[in-house]
Amino acid sequence: MTSRARTGALIFLGSLFIYQGNLRPVASLDSLPAALLPFSLYMDHSFRFDRFADHLKAGRPETPYYFREKDSHYYSMYPVALPLLVTPLYVPVLAVIHPAERSVAFLILLARVLEKCMAGLLTAMAVAVFFLALDRLTSRRNALLLTAAYGFGTTVWAISSQALWLHTGVGLFFVLTLLALAQWAGSSRMRFLYLAGLWAGLALLVRPTVGLLAVAILAALLLRRAPVRALAAFLLPVMLCGLAAAAYNVWLFQDLRGYTALPVSRHPLGGLAGILFSPARGLLIYCPILIFAAAGFGRRPRKPETPLSLLMLAGVIFCGAHLALISLVETWWGGHCWGPRYATEMMPFLVLMIVPALDTILRSAWLRPLFFALLVYSIALQSVGAFFYPAGLWDDRPVNADYHTGRFWDWVDNPVRRTVSAGPNLVGHQLLLEGLLHGKAAAIRKMKEAEFKGF
């Protein structure tokens, strides 16, 4: 193995260990269909959730919001590409446990455990690939420093690595896209541009709104005056994936937009301010290290033919478009979660933008300590999301924040203060210790006493 490959492998293993260190999924009902779909595919050879629907409805007549009912069957409200792609990783486990002989309640709990494992695995892969891309663009020291910022100082840790959110799959495909673009810009080999289109297309299949990245890359290639055959190599896989996503949406929703057919906000400037500065969800509150992206953008390379210039140009276009899009969503805060969940897709590009300024920052007598202070603070906040949240139950108490949106601007009673005050959630560690000391039966009793449900 080359030095770069060895370092990437160590980053993968170290990230995976840290992501699994809280010993519990930090999940929500939004990711439940993704957790269960591999079980349906393995046991029923179907995309339907009929096996689980009665248990999850728990006697209620209405269909849970995360399911879509069609012809008396239940399907995922969200795109199915991510759980479909990871299903082969489930097969060895499911073949051993014989899921058909297990209760539905057991399968749902197991799905949550495996969901956490898969999310950590995919995100650790994304962090390692991000390093491989950065190592082609800057020095090894800078690549390692910014990889740490990406993997642990952003919502990549508290969101992507904890559950099978759509952001989890998008994050992996985005950094693969960056790597392929960097390889193409450095060699002009068309296979890398085709790969970039494939990864960007798969990201679109996982979460259709991130098709904006393909548009941004196309714009960057046009500004770089790339030849027509290069544009075609990138666009072909993107268009094929887009057609597949559109066909699925029309079949299930009778609407090309699918699950993204949401009301448009009448106050997009308020949404934009919330995404950036809200004490409950603000990007610059939860990931302040990203402030330095502005400095990097100011020092970006001017020559359009350099790999870093191409990646930064595509990143700036995408981040601007993505910010505009999520500010138009009425629920810009992303529901019950830790930090700016909807901004998670922007993280690799925002960290990448720091590259041109990093050497200057590290040589500066006052910028260097500021950079490391903000990096440590960003990592600390994300560790709270992984090891503490949802302790304190800020999203629900005293009233549900989804229906009392003024709470997102409460600087006194905010999620950071409430969650830190409530202390870490160590139920998973207690169960592990109980099992090691007194056996599996004692651990199961402890789990029942703690009413451990995985969230």
Side-chain angles (χ1 to χ4, degrees):
M1 296 176 69
T2 64
S3 171
R4 179 182 292 162
R6 284 196 302 271
T7 306
L10 290 173
I11 288 171
F12 166 76
L13 294 173
S15 300
L16 182 60
F17 177 79
I18 293 172
Y19 290 155
Q20 305 296 348
N22 57 355
L23 299 183
R24 65 187 179 95
V26 186
S28 84
L29 292 176
D30 286 359
S31 67
L32 185 57
L36 292 175
L37 185 60
F39 288 77
S40 293
L41 290 170
Y42 181 85
M43 299 169 68
D44 304 321
H45 312 294
S46 170
F47 288 95
R48 298 170 180 170
F49 292 88
D50 299 353
R51 176 185 295 271
F52 304 100
D54 288 341
H55 182 87
L56 293 170
K57 288 173 67 175
R60 292 172 296 179
E62 69 275 8
T63 300
Y65 77 90
Y66 45 83
F67 284 157
R68 173 80 173 182
E69 189 172 359
K70 178 182 172 65
D71 301 328
S72 300
H73 297 290
Y74 296 92
Y75 300 88
S76 174
M77 187 71 177
Y78 303 103
V80 297
L82 176 59
L84 177 62
L85 290 170
V86 300
T87 293
L89 300 178
Y90 282 71
V91 171
V93 177
L94 297 180
V96 169
I97 67 161
H98 304 292
E101 302 172 5
R102 306 285 184 165
S103 69
V104 171
F106 173 87
L107 294 179
I108 292 173
L109 181 59
L110 177 63
R112 282 306 204 188
V113 173
L114 292 179
E115 173 189 18
K116 168 63 186 295
C117 296
M118 296 302 167
L121 179 69
L122 296 178
T123 307
M125 290 172 61
V127 175
V129 173
F130 189 65
F131 163 76
L132 296 178
L134 285 178
D135 202 47
R136 287 170 165 79
L137 304 170
T138 186
S139 66
R140 176 65 55 85
R141 178 201 64 179
N142 290 358
L144 289 170
L145 196 56
L146 293 179
T147 298
Y150 170 71
F152 305 104
T154 71
T155 51
V156 166
W157 185 2
I159 297 292
S160 299
S161 73
Q162 299 301 304
L164 285 178
W165 298 93
L166 301 182
H167 316 288
T168 305
V170 169
L172 176 58
F173 291 131
F174 269 17
V175 295
L176 285 168
T177 304
L178 284 176
L179 177 60
L181 278 177
Q183 291 173 312
W184 172 76
S187 67
S188 297
R189 295 176 181 173
M190 285 299 158
R191 68 172 182 270
F192 292 124
L193 203 53
Y194 176 83
L195 276 175
L198 176 62
W199 303 134
L202 288 174
L204 183 157
L205 266 179
V206 170
R207 187 174 178 85
T209 54
V210 301
L212 290 170
L213 177 62
V215 176
I217 293 173
L218 181 61
L221 291 173
L222 288 171
L223 290 172
R224 185 178 167 161
R225 298 180 181 178
V228 173
R229 65 192 185 96
L231 301 177
F234 174 75
L235 279 177
L236 178 61
V238 171
M239 292 176 64
L240 291 175
C241 291
L243 288 172
Y248 182 81
N249 285 342
V250 170
W251 172 76
L252 186 58
F253 298 95
Q254 294 78 51
D255 190 324
L256 277 172
R257 297 170 296 173
Y259 83 105
T260 62
L262 301 172
V264 175
S265 172
R266 298 178 183 178
H267 307 286
L269 292 180
L272 179 61
I275 295 161
L276 294 176
F277 305 113
S278 160
R281 295 292 188 269
L283 177 66
L284 298 180
I285 303 297
Y286 284 78
C287 312
I289 189 63
L290 298 178
I291 291 172
F292 288 99
F297 179 73
R299 290 178 170 269
R300 67 193 184 280
R302 305 299 178 180
K303 294 181 179 180
E305 64 273 11
T306 62
L308 183 57
S309 176
L310 174 66
L311 297 182
M312 289 190 66
L313 179 57
V316 167
I317 296 171
F318 170 74
C319 288
H322 190 68
L323 268 178
L325 178 65
I326 56 181
S327 66
L328 287 169
V329 178
E330 281 191 343
T331 55
W332 54 264
W333 54 88
H336 293 197
C337 59
W338 181 256
R341 179 168 72 88
Y342 282 167
T344 303
E345 285 84 359
M346 298 164 53
M347 299 306 176
F349 303 101
L350 293 174
V351 174
L352 178 73
M353 288 179 200
I354 302 175
V355 168
L358 188 54
D359 285 327
T360 302
I361 291 168
L362 296 180
R363 285 195 299 265
S364 170
W366 69 277
L367 285 177
R368 180 186 176 95
L370 178 62
F371 177 87
F372 282 104
L374 292 181
L375 176 59
V376 170
Y377 182 75
S378 299
I379 292 173
L381 276 188
Q382 297 309 311
S383 71
V384 171
F387 285 91
F388 292 58
Y389 182 82
L393 300 176
W394 183 91
D395 297 289
D396 287 300
R397 298 176 182 174
V399 290
N400 191 326
D402 286 342
Y403 305 108
H404 297 81
T405 56
R407 296 188 62 213
F408 292 106
W409 288 100
D410 189 337
W411 290 91
V412 177
D413 180 23
N414 59 69
V416 175
R417 183 174 180 178
R418 177 92 71 87
T419 307
V420 171
S421 299
N425 186 329
L426 300 178
V427 174
H429 302 82
Q430 293 168 356
L431 294 177
L432 177 62
L433 183 62
E434 188 74 15
L436 291 174
L437 294 177
H438 303 108
K440 183 174 71 172
I444 293 173
R445 284 196 302 272
K446 185 79 171 179
M447 183 175 70
K448 292 179 178 178
E449 291 171 7
E451 297 184 348
F452 183 70
K453 295 182 176 65
F455 183 32

